[in-house]
Amino acid sequence: MERDGYVDFLRAWAIVLVVVGHWVITGLVRHPDGTLGAPELLATVPWTQWLTLGFQIMPLFFLAGGHAAAGSWERARARGGSAAGWVGRRAVRLLLPVGAYCGLVLTGLGVASLAGVDRGTLALVGWAMAMQFWFLPVYLLLSALTPVLYAAHRRWGVWVPVGMGVVAVGVSWGTASGIGAGADLGAGSLSVADAFGSLNYVLVWGVVYQLGFCWGDRLLGGRPWVGGALTLGGGAAFAALVGAEPFPVSLILVTGQDPSNTNPPSAAMLAWSVGQVGLALLAAPAVRRWLERERVWRGVGRLGGLSMTLYLWHMLPVLVVAAAFYLPGLAPRPAFGSAAWWAWRVPWLVVLGAVLAGVVRALMPLERLLASVGGRLRPDARLRPGLRVWAGIAAAVPSLAYFAGHGFAPGGRLSLPAVLGLAVGTALVVASGPGRGPGGEQGPDTARAADGRDCGRAAPGGGAVAVAGAREEVGGGVVTASGARVQPGDGAGAAAGTRAELGEGSVAASGAREELGDGALAAARAQAGPDDGSVTAGGAGPG
């Protein structure tokens, strides 16, 4: 399965819309007593719920993630890699940057609490900094299930997402009908309805993930009518489900809205996701031609390399602007949701973008450190039986889900169990390493490249090193820096801004972009073995 630059574009495009969408719907209000509030735009101005049809773009991330993961797992398996080793490497690349982010945010909240900041403000900040977390536990879980899901795909093909979709529709209708309502599991902490509905996090997003497998195997691409059928069918089904109720039009969670299309994902969300997959297939030929322009491709490469950083940190600028302009009363105060308020969205977005650019630049040293650490601590590709990997994922997923649902400081207090769960889960996955290649050995060319002594070559199969701040994207092993492209081949080094043919491992100098067999962890002078390229410690996106 060859790398497809269009997949990288979909991830970059999804990240841009996620960031802009969150900024658009986030509004700040300064109360007469000097405190700040953040009214919920979708609830306060109901017509804005229609905007979510354009900004809910995460189906593209699961589609791209499935496409890339299928090729990565297939190549790892062909080289004798184990499921635990492959999943562990992906988990490390996700959990290291997420763990660093959580550690910094939680530390900041703890210091603010000791300084006497009121609990309402802590809760608001904690919610803002975790509002994007819903994606992480779902994607981590699907990554862990990839070997099983892909085995099913190899046997039954498109019937797998069809079957999962049918079950998801049943779960959605059951949840909307109140199945299990009023009955609790355990000590009343989780209702039967919640547990039943939560199956759709895996089923609905799993359908799109599986469609990525089908797309990669050309079971969807190459047939123009397939894209049209998915687009029309998904759009018509969404319109029917929303029109007939009980499903709302909003594709983002709205407080008090029951049922929701996202918490858990509903039949309407499934229909919209299928339609979005169809649109992606229809747009592919035109976008691929557009991507042939060097400047365009470099821009996509840069965005892809920064995707995890942008995804995790894009709400920090909102807090910076709130402290700099809203708390002192310097920001304009038009009526929330008024025409004047919408006019101020333009400078609002410009200022937030400028602040985010500064945040990204300030985080570069941390990214390089995490990438270097991650390159040395990844599990071996042949890891067996990998009990620490599975235990680590089992501990991390519930903690990430808790942060996604409650924020970092619900009620102004930190949740020690969730913090410990994420810390222990990350430690267990990291403790299953280190690994240095398919057999745990480090090739001589790779070793020299890791030291910075040889930036011009690497033996095929020997891993990859990207020098001077190169980054790796989610799924499939794309290493990006300035956006230069490298296609799979027989093994070579890519200098700044050049294209080269690669094998299983390579060295990419500053400004090079690699498309490897199973990828590599890119960092300033960091060593890595061939792997899946799922999410890097220093700047890969969720996909």
Side-chain angles (χ1 to χ4, degrees), residues 360-383:
V360 169
R361 180 175 292 274
L363 290 172
M364 289 300 180
L366 175 62
E367 288 185 1
R368 295 189 184 103
L369 175 62
L370 290 174
S372 178
V373 171
R376 289 164 172 77
L377 296 180
R378 291 179 301 156
D380 191 283
R382 297 177 186 267
L383 180 66

Side-chain angles (χ1 to χ4, degrees), residues 177-190:
S177 301
I179 290 181
D184 289 334
L185 297 174
S189 59
L190 181 66

Side-chain angles (χ1 to χ4, degrees), residues 63 142 164 403 411 420:
L63 177 69
L142 285 175
M164 292 173 67
F403 290 140
L420 289 177

Side-chain angles (χ1 to χ4, degrees), residues 454-521:
D454 187 345
C455 294
R457 73 179 188 273
V465 177
V467 182
R471 293 177 185 79
E472 183 180 355
E473 291 183 300
V474 184
V478 180
V479 179
T480 66
S482 70
R485 299 177 66 180
V486 183
Q487 299 293 338
D490 295 324
T498 65
R499 300 167 183 253
E501 298 294 316
L502 301 180
E504 296 294 340
S506 173
V507 177
S510 176
R513 175 182 181 81
E514 289 184 1
E515 296 195 354
L516 302 179
D518 269 338
L521 181 62

